[in-house]
Amino acid sequence: MMEARSQALSEIFERNIKNRIISEGLCLPEVPEAVIARYPGMMSAALAALDYWISDKIEIVVVGDGAERRAMLEEIHRRYLPGRVIAVSRSGGSEISALFQNRTTAPGEVKAFVCRNSVCRLPVSTAAELRKQLESL
């Protein structure tokens, strides 16, 4: 219950920040041409960082092994999903990463978990179900 509350609070803060950026017309500071000439990759890195900051954070966790997992990964890699994190494990479990906490499967089973801004949908067990979730992102 506490995790759901903190996720909801995080979502509220993030939306507030995005709305402020849009409503106040916030943008990157002016940079002198001499600085840009000296560090040509600086602006593209700054824009990438800004895009990541204001974009939705997508996490896709796939747990299990077999043909269905391969089909799920093919489905994930078919689309452009900026700001995404893809985590894959045969067994899951929090000892690997926090992304796998409470995400395990029975032997021979595969599950995919799709989360947007730390709010997760119900897990799915087929590539077709995963496709539907990814299309609605």
Side-chain angles (χ1 to χ4, degrees):
M1 182 69 169
M2 194 63 146
E3 182 180 351
R5 286 182 180 170
S6 61
Q7 286 177 352
L9 189 59
S10 173
E11 180 76 18
I12 290 167
F13 282 129
E14 190 167 326
R15 285 183 187 170
N16 185 344
I17 290 168
K18 285 181 186 178
N19 288 338
R20 184 171 168 220
I21 289 170
I22 293 167
S23 67
E24 295 179 20
L26 299 177
C27 62
L28 296 174
E30 292 276 333
V31 179
E33 286 187 39
V35 174
I36 293 173
R38 187 169 179 191
Y39 304 102
M42 177 183 67
M43 290 308 291
S44 60
L47 288 173
L50 178 62
D51 179 58
Y52 179 79
W53 184 57
I54 64 173
S55 296
D56 288 336
K57 309 309 179 270
I58 308 296
E59 295 173 353
I60 304 167
V61 177
V62 179
V63 180
D65 202 7
E68 196 61 38
R69 179 176 99 165
R70 285 187 291 282
M72 286 180 173
L73 292 176
E74 287 175 10
E75 196 59 52
I76 292 167
H77 293 297
R78 277 194 187 113
R79 43 190 46 76
Y80 175 69
L81 297 169
R84 73 176 184 236
V85 172
I86 300 170
V88 182
S89 170
R90 285 189 171 85
S91 60
S94 61
E95 65 279 355
I96 299 169
S97 165
L99 287 172
F100 295 105
Q101 185 174 0
N102 299 321
R103 296 177 178 163
T104 58
T105 60
E109 185 181 36
V110 179
K111 287 184 183 176
F113 303 82
V114 177
C115 307
R116 178 186 221 157
N117 299 324
S118 300
V119 177
C120 301
R121 298 172 182 199
L122 292 174
V124 295
S125 55
T126 68
E129 293 171 315
L130 178 59
R131 180 182 315 114
K132 289 179 184 175
Q133 287 193 357
L134 295 175
E135 286 171 352
S136 67
L137 288 176

